[in-house]
Amino acid sequence: MAAVLGVSAQYHDAAAALVVDGRVVAAVQEERLTRRKGDPSLPREAMRACLRLGGIEAGALDRVVFYENPYAKLERVVNGALRAFPTAIGLFPRAVGSQLGGKIWVLDALAETLDVPRARVVPSEHHLTHAASAFYASPYPRAAVLTVDGAGEELSTAIWRGDEGGLALVEGIALPDSLGLLYAALTAWLGFEVNDGEYKVMGLAAFGQPRFRDELARVVRLDGDGGFSLDEKYFAHEHDAELGFSGELERLLGPRRAAGRAWDLDGSAEDRRYADVAASLQAALEEALVGLARRARARTGLDALCLAGGVALNCVAVSRVAREAGFERLFVQPAAGDAGGALGAALVGARDLGDPRPAPQTTTALGEPVDEAEAAELAAALGLRAAPSDDPDREIAARLARGEVVGVVRGRFEFGPRALGQRSLLALPRDAATRERLNRVVKRREPFRPFAPAVAAEATERLFEGGPPDDLTPFMTSVRPVRPEARARLAAVTHVDGTARLQTVGEGGALAGILAAVEREAGLPVVLNTSLNGAGEPIVGGALDALGFLLSHAVDAVVVESLVVTR
Amino acid sequence: MTARARAARALNRVVWRWPGRDARKLHAFARAEEGSRVDLLLAARRTSSAARRALYLRHALDEARHALMFSRRAAELRLASGRPALGPPRADGEALFDRLGEVRFLAFVHRGEARGRAQFEAYRGHFAAAGDARTRALFEAIVGDERRHEEYTRALLVELAGGERAARRALRWAAAWEAWRAWRRAGRFVAERLFVITMMALYVVLAPVGLAMRFSSRRR
């Protein structure tokens, strides 16, 4: 029996996770506490929060596991830059500086920060920790595991076999062939920020036609057997870490879109062309991912698949894998990106020390709880109106029925990019105008971005195609077609392609009470559920962030546990 | 008028007329405001008083708004000149509340607000004279907030330090600490340049190794 802290940091979205005696006690992204979106720095605040939530001192930790091997990464970075001679001359000092100036010392920094013996701090491997975060958290005793990411130490993609004996690498695809880097490069070409704009590309793709498939087939070649390779001439990862694409790509697809220019998909033929490229990229990614999943099935002979790595956050591609790859069951680690590596690292460490697998993951509410008393005190100091409600679910439902947009802050905040009812912004899903209001006024983001519905599990098949809830739907990691007859009543959450990234809420789920009350008020147990944050902001963590959100965004109320706060 | 404000006024023509410089400078202001937001939110989390937590939170929200205003104007200027926007203003906090304690943190923030206000007043005047109403209005809006921040931090500083004399002492300490920080930053700037040159030289020296690696990987 052991206490293991897993840590991911120094690339993007740093996090910490604590596993005690095989049980996941806490998992926290640093950004939620430092309020810097995707904060990559050593997660001092998140580590402290995990220890606080676990009620243990750092000295009681049996092991601290870093999610990747910094020495292997240094070797890869230096070798890559040297191989690219002379084009990487501009990037080499920055890459080496960042490695030698901090990254290479991360294990020592962890030991010093936590004040634990250096021998207790060990590195793991990037793709192993992703695989562990998915497999050990899944409900499957045996499964194929597919990890697809931008970059690890050497691998970008890996197929694993998970069973009672643990995880065994079946095969991997090494850098520079990487679906994550492909998507990142095209994200930059479309004028979005890498590591932040990938969701935007996925949303944009639904507005386009994949008429650039032939061009994309030159950029990423699928070998028909699940393998793929990138044509390096279209990329510039070794000498331009920010853009990642070369002039050749612009010659193939046309000039990049200027970052920061407003989108006009109705009036601009040029923007519609960019949407077509996004659609072609999405199609290429889906085909590659389906091919990899089929290969994983063929190589392992197993009926269940677990997915992790940043690419697994592409819920449209995941849904296609679910439909076409031949697996009976599919689970995606809800924190599939690098933050989830912290959870995987902790689980790898716990297994190494002989602890059992944790119970299957049923919630992402692994962060710090909100303090209602603090919210009440702060609301008074800010001059906000705040009153406790005897029946907050009914109060929220009544407000939503009046057309209000309400922030909900309850319990422990979520781990991963999705708000699943603990830090959510809710509205009724029936009017398309609600989507416009939320995108333009509240979240101040691109008008094409879709919103997701949270639906009571028992109503799922009535409103959405694709059968009953599965292992994906509680975590909003897949999309389903909205039944045609339901689309008018779900206009705000039905994307242009007729799908929705739904979240099903079972009995006892964070939103179950609200959905029941909404059904009584408005007839359908469905709400629009989006994360409680504005553009470029991390999702709300505690009471301070919640009231700050209310003060700075055009929402009608924020409900902190049972406290209803308005301006 | 502070030395920085005098310098800002004197250098206005050069600073703002340099092609492309205007957007980069506004974006740098956005980053500074963003860094200040992060530090103020940390202060709001750490302080023991709900009243001060509320003040720091409101201040942080102002800084977030300023960062957005600066970065949007910078993006407008960039796009108008046919260049892509510079992206969202990312900045680290300095954990100043943890490092300095609340009294010295307030002294530091107060000095920064006073300096920023004076500097922005100079820029506001420059853009008014240059007939750029949009950028003038931007500085006008922010100068008002900076003045308010300057006043409340001064009042809090006197209260927490325990009187006017103690507050002045904290301000003198903050001035000295800022000078020391500027010296260290200058040192880091020079060291970074030296490192870049050294690494570039090393890269060239290692070129044969790289070429051999590339050759051998092609053969494989």
Side-chain angles (χ1 to χ4, degrees):
Chain A
M1 296 305 209
V4 181
L5 187 71
V7 177
S8 63
Q10 298 186 330
Y11 184 51
H12 60 94
D13 213 2
L18 180 65
V19 173
V20 179
D21 299 342
R23 193 170 65 87
V24 180
V25 169
V28 176
Q29 287 158 268
E30 183 73 354
E31 64 162 26
R32 303 293 160 89
L33 303 173
T34 61
R35 311 309 300 159
R36 289 180 59 222
K37 175 104 169 159
D39 191 344
S41 53
L42 200 71
R44 292 183 171 85
E45 299 283 336
M47 291 192 294
R48 276 189 215 121
C50 283
L51 294 172
R52 205 162 45 236
L53 289 163
I56 62 170
E57 299 287 326
L61 290 169
D62 295 285
R63 193 169 282 183
V64 178
V65 185
F66 189 61
Y67 81 130
E68 62 183 15
N69 186 325
Y71 314 117
K73 207 149 188 182
L74 171 69
E75 188 181 334
R76 194 250 297 161
V77 168
V78 172
N79 285 350
L82 288 175
R83 237 183 244 133
F85 184 86
T87 54
I89 193 161
L91 191 68
F92 185 74
R94 195 145 53 98
V96 172
S98 122
Q99 293 287 331
L100 297 183
K103 292 181 176 178
I104 197 76
W105 313 111
V106 65
L107 305 180
D108 302 272
L110 283 170
E112 192 180 325
T113 302
L114 292 164
D115 195 20
V116 297
R118 172 64 180 79
R120 279 193 217 161
V121 184
V122 297
S124 186
E125 291 170 35
H126 191 98
H127 278 266
L128 173 61
T129 56
H130 274 317
S133 76
F135 175 61
Y136 293 134
S138 79
Y140 316 136
R142 284 171 296 285
V145 185
L146 181 57
T147 55
V148 191
D149 204 5
E153 290 89 351
E154 283 291 333
L155 299 180
S156 73
T157 307
I159 293 171
W160 305 77
R161 181 190 171 87
D163 57 26
E164 297 80 357
L167 283 158
L169 180 66
V170 175
E171 62 181 323
I173 296 175
L175 289 162
D177 297 320
S178 162
L179 294 178
L181 292 183
L182 164 73
Y183 215 83
L186 270 291
T187 295
W189 181 83
L190 286 163
F192 299 121
E193 202 185 2
V194 172
N195 291 327
D196 186 54
E198 285 79 356
Y199 293 124
K200 301 178 189 181
V201 176
M202 188 177 70
L204 178 65
F207 287 85
Q209 296 299 319
R211 63 187 175 93
F212 293 97
R213 277 173 186 266
D214 292 344
E215 286 83 350
L216 263 295
R218 280 194 243 166
V219 180
V220 54
R221 292 182 294 254
L222 308 182
D223 66 11
D225 193 27
F228 68 88
S229 59
L230 303 187
D231 189 332
E232 282 187 63
K233 75 177 180 199
Y234 296 111
F235 297 91
H237 302 299
E238 302 295 3
H239 53 92
D240 186 344
E242 275 166 31
L243 286 180
F245 62 84
S246 71
E248 281 295 321
L249 190 79
E250 292 192 278
R251 278 186 277 284
L252 180 71
L253 296 173
R256 74 190 79 170
R257 192 177 189 280
R261 215 181 72 208
W263 283 85
D264 179 13
L265 289 167
D266 295 325
S268 163
E270 197 185 0
D271 277 355
R272 284 196 296 277
R273 184 179 183 280
Y274 285 115
D276 290 343
V277 173
S280 309
L281 169 67
Q282 179 66 25
L285 177 82
E286 289 172 19
E287 278 154 31
L289 211 54
V290 168
L292 283 165
R294 284 185 181 141
R295 187 177 178 90
R297 181 157 163 65
R299 293 296 309 270
T300 62
L302 295 168
D303 292 328
L305 176 68
C306 298
L307 276 166
V311 177
L313 290 169
N314 191 309
C315 53
V316 178
V318 165
S319 302
R320 201 162 150 200
V321 167
R323 286 195 307 272
E324 298 180 18
F327 286 96
E328 286 173 17
R329 294 181 75 180
L330 184 59
F331 174 78
V332 176
Q333 166 51 240
D338 275 5
L343 176 62
L347 291 168
V348 166
R351 292 285 290 169
D352 286 350
L353 292 171
D355 275 351
R357 276 180 68 164
Q361 183 170 359
T362 56
T363 179
T364 61
L366 297 165
E368 289 198 312
V370 69
D371 185 337
E372 186 176 342
E374 183 196 337
E377 189 183 30
L378 183 58
L382 288 164
L384 294 168
R385 283 185 286 185
S389 167
D390 294 338
D391 189 348
D393 290 346
R394 201 180 61 182
E395 168 82 25
I396 291 165
R399 285 178 174 275
L400 297 180
R402 292 201 296 268
E404 292 189 6
V405 175
V406 179
V408 173
V409 184
R410 289 175 160 184
R412 300 172 67 176
F413 59 71
E414 298 92 343
F415 182 58
R418 301 273 170 262
L420 298 174
Q422 282 79 16
R423 302 292 184 271
S424 287
L425 195 57
L426 305 181
L428 276 198
R430 64 188 170 208
D431 297 325
T434 305
R435 184 176 61 214
E436 291 291 306
R437 177 188 168 189
L438 281 168
N439 265 339
R440 291 183 193 278
V441 182
V442 179
K443 305 205 79 162
R444 297 173 198 139
R445 63 186 199 180
E446 297 79 3
F448 58 78
R449 304 278 297 277
F451 289 101
V455 56
E458 66 273 12
T460 305
E461 289 184 272
R462 198 158 30 106
L463 300 168
F464 301 94
E465 294 174 3
D470 56 23
D471 297 330
L472 300 171
T473 55
F475 301 108
M476 227 187 244
T477 48
S478 63
V479 297
R480 295 269 188 102
V482 181
R483 288 194 181 281
E485 63 273 21
R487 285 180 191 172
R489 288 182 295 168
L490 300 177
V493 293
T494 304
H495 201 25
V496 65
D497 58 1
T499 67
R501 193 185 64 210
L502 87 163
Q503 174 199 3
T504 56
V505 181
E507 213 173 305
L511 290 171
I514 293 174
L515 289 172
V518 165
E519 184 171 25
R520 286 193 294 274
E521 290 276 348
L524 276 183
V526 188
V527 292
L528 179 157
N529 175 16
T530 186
S531 53
L532 192 55
N533 64 330
E537 301 166 6
I539 299 175
V540 159
L544 181 80
D545 316 323
L547 299 196
F549 183 85
L550 175 67
L551 286 170
S552 55
H553 296 81
V555 297
D556 299 292
V558 166
V559 181
V560 181
E561 298 291 3
S562 65
L563 187 74
V564 182
V565 189
T566 54
R567 279 189 211 87
Chain B
M1 189 187 289
T2 65
R4 189 178 286 239
R6 276 195 298 273
R9 193 155 292 183
L11 294 172
N12 267 337
R13 282 171 192 276
V14 182
V15 166
W16 296 105
R17 293 278 166 81
W18 202 340
R21 173 78 180 160
D22 47 2
R24 282 202 304 277
K25 195 158 178 64
L26 291 175
H27 197 261
F29 288 148
R31 283 207 311 274
E33 298 280 351
E34 171 64 12
S36 174
R37 178 193 71 86
V38 172
D39 264 317
L40 281 157
L41 281 178
L42 178 72
R45 278 167 63 87
R46 297 283 200 260
T47 186
S48 56
S49 148
R52 293 200 295 277
R53 182 170 302 123
L55 287 167
Y56 297 152
L57 174 61
R58 284 202 185 275
H59 190 163
L61 296 176
D62 285 344
E63 304 293 61
R65 191 162 40 80
H66 298 168
L68 187 65
M69 290 160 74
F70 277 130
S71 66
R72 278 188 179 163
R73 184 71 187 128
E76 284 173 5
L77 292 169
R78 294 271 300 179
L79 291 168
S81 62
R83 280 169 295 195
L86 292 166
R90 300 248 186 255
D92 289 334
E94 292 185 80
L96 292 172
F97 191 94
D98 287 350
R99 289 164 63 194
L100 308 181
E102 191 159 7
V103 170
R104 287 176 170 180
F105 168 76
L106 275 168
F108 176 85
V109 173
H110 173 75
R111 281 183 54 79
E113 295 295 330
R115 194 170 51 237
R117 194 251 312 142
Q119 197 178 355
F120 292 167
E121 279 173 347
Y123 294 149
R124 177 188 60 189
H126 168 76
F127 285 106
D132 180 347
R134 284 179 66 83
T135 312
R136 185 204 63 78
L138 169 71
F139 281 110
E140 177 72 46
I142 292 174
V143 158
D145 288 340
E146 302 290 74
R147 189 172 295 120
R148 194 158 36 78
H149 299 155
E150 196 181 338
E151 286 165 7
Y152 100 83
T153 47
R154 186 73 167 83
L156 268 188
L157 177 62
V158 172
E159 181 191 322
L160 284 186
E164 187 62 41
R165 280 184 63 186
R168 278 202 297 271
R169 201 159 50 238
L171 287 168
R172 282 196 299 275
W173 182 90
W177 188 76
E178 277 176 12
W180 170 234
R181 191 174 70 142
W183 170 252
R184 281 186 308 168
R185 280 184 172 176
R188 198 179 310 138
F189 179 86
V190 173
E192 280 171 3
R193 266 67 195 163
L194 277 174
F195 180 82
V196 166
I197 292 165
T198 311
M199 285 299 114
M200 281 180 162
L202 180 66
Y203 188 70
V204 173
V205 168
L206 291 174
V209 180
L211 292 171
M213 285 166 67
R214 191 158 68 193
F215 181 66
S216 73
S217 66
R218 268 190 200 150
R219 282 182 58 184
R220 272 204 303 272

